Amino acid sequence: MSNDKHIKLTFLGTGTSQGVPAIGCRCRVCCSTDCRDNRLRTSAMVEIEDCRIVIDAGPDFRQQMLRTGARHIDAILLTHEHKDHTGGLDDVRAFNFVDYPTAIHPVDIYATHRTIEAVRRDFAYAFVENKYRGVPEMRLHKIEPSESFRVKEVEIIPINGKHSDRFEVTGYRIGRLAYLTDFKQIDDSEIEKLQGVDTLVVNALRFAPHYSHFNVDEALELIGKVAPRRAYLTHMSHEIGLYATTNPSLPEGVSLAYDRLEIEI
């Protein structure tokens, strides 16, 4: 894919695994009336010409898709196997049967081997030989972190990282956009793959350190190494603070993302 292709990025969700507000919490962020402080689980939609790709399908996938009004998707890219990123895959049924009975459209799912196996295990009823009617139809595609792949004519470059010592995670570069979530470590060789991006999205859970996610300082350190024209922070907990307070405090060219924010690249 040529780097000059127009890309539209929509943040479907920008919250951590609990979402914001968190159940039972009465902090000022969880009680905020600013819609930018209300965060579904992290997910994004990328549109390039006639190709529509969703990154991650967590428990809020149905609600997120209803908000977009989308009637088809060409692929879902999964970053890793945790439920806040895969828990909504049953709802691909809506895209399978949107034209039923004229046609059934399986949804193509791309992920590394470990994540593919988790999907097979967690949604075993969708892959048995004698399926019951109406199960989600998914075509699973195993990707290698070191090899690019294509969805339609769109080239996608995996970016490999560590979520923690126990888990790997996969980010994606699509043209001049790179999207990383749930990263805690990234090697210099993978940072090289990010050089020249216009827009970088990266997770920043909170300001305090965390054992399995970048905090704000770690995210800003990566942004400094990549030097994109602009960067957005995602996968944020309520500890990130109020949008109206935190966003102005960030360096020039860096912003907090928020749900339903649309970016043209």
Side-chain angles (χ1 to χ4, degrees):
M1 184 188 76
S2 171
N3 277 344
D4 61 2
K5 291 287 183 71
H6 177 265
I7 299 174
K8 179 181 177 181
L9 168 67
T10 303
F11 289 95
L12 303 177
T14 57
T16 187
S17 57
Q18 296 183 78
V20 183
I23 293 173
C25 184
R26 302 301 297 168
C27 76
R28 62 177 185 165
V29 177
C30 289
C31 293
S32 171
T33 59
D34 186 340
C35 63
R36 296 171 298 183
D37 293 321
N38 194 323
R39 304 181 185 277
L40 299 179
R41 267 65 73 92
T42 293
S43 178
M45 185 168 70
V46 181
E47 297 171 272
I48 310 98
E49 295 186 340
D50 67 340
C51 186
R52 179 180 287 137
I53 297 168
V54 170
I55 305 177
D56 286 334
D60 301 316
F61 178 68
R62 174 183 174 274
Q63 181 181 356
Q64 291 164 340
M65 290 293 96
L66 285 171
R67 294 200 305 194
T68 68
R71 298 189 75 249
H72 86 277
I73 54 177
D74 294 294
I76 297 175
L77 314 181
L78 299 178
T79 59
H80 62 298
E81 67 268 31
H82 288 165
K83 279 295 192 295
D84 55 320
H85 298 264
T86 65
L89 284 173
D90 183 81
D91 284 313
V92 302
R93 290 181 296 163
F95 296 106
N96 297 156
F97 300 112
V98 69
D99 293 328
Y100 185 80
T102 305
I104 296 175
H105 307 287
V107 173
D108 291 298
I109 311 292
Y110 293 81
T112 58
H113 174 76
R114 177 173 175 144
T115 302
I116 289 289
E117 291 306 304
V119 171
R120 286 189 183 278
R121 181 177 63 250
D122 294 345
F123 299 92
Y125 58 88
F127 302 103
V128 295
E129 185 174 349
N130 296 312
K131 304 176 187 178
Y132 66 86
R133 185 175 178 179
V135 300
E137 298 286 344
M138 294 182 274
R139 283 192 298 243
L140 302 181
H141 303 268
K142 186 178 73 172
I143 65 172
E144 297 293 338
S146 59
E147 299 176 5
S148 65
F149 60 97
R150 288 183 179 271
V151 174
K152 289 188 170 179
E153 297 303 314
V154 177
E155 182 183 22
I156 300 169
I157 300 172
I159 310 297
N160 192 43
K162 286 288 190 72
H163 192 347
S164 68
D165 291 338
R166 297 175 59 193
F167 297 104
E168 292 191 342
V169 64
T170 305
Y172 297 99
R173 177 172 181 169
I174 305 173
R176 293 180 295 152
L177 165 70
Y179 183 95
L180 312 181
T181 189
D182 289 52
F183 273 59
K184 179 59 179 179
Q185 301 173 34
I186 182 170
D187 290 340
D188 289 343
S189 59
E190 297 299 303
I191 294 175
E192 282 295 316
K193 296 179 182 179
L194 300 172
Q195 297 304 315
V197 299
D198 174 273
T199 302
L200 173 64
V201 180
V202 62
N203 60 285
L205 186 73
R206 63 193 190 189
F207 285 91
H210 190 272
Y211 73 95
S212 65
H213 296 82
F214 283 157
N215 66 1
V216 171
D217 284 345
E218 290 166 329
L220 292 178
E221 181 181 359
L222 177 61
I223 291 166
K225 292 178 179 179
V226 176
R229 184 173 66 87
R230 56 185 172 178
Y232 293 89
L233 305 184
T234 193
H235 202 283
M236 293 169 284
S237 75
H238 56 179
E239 294 177 70
I240 203 71
L242 295 169
Y243 179 93
T245 302
T246 300
N247 196 62
S249 73
L250 296 174
E252 184 177 357
V254 181
S255 303
L256 300 183
Y258 54 87
D259 291 19
R260 308 183 80 173
L261 174 63
E262 297 180 355
I263 304 297
E264 305 286 339
I265 303 167

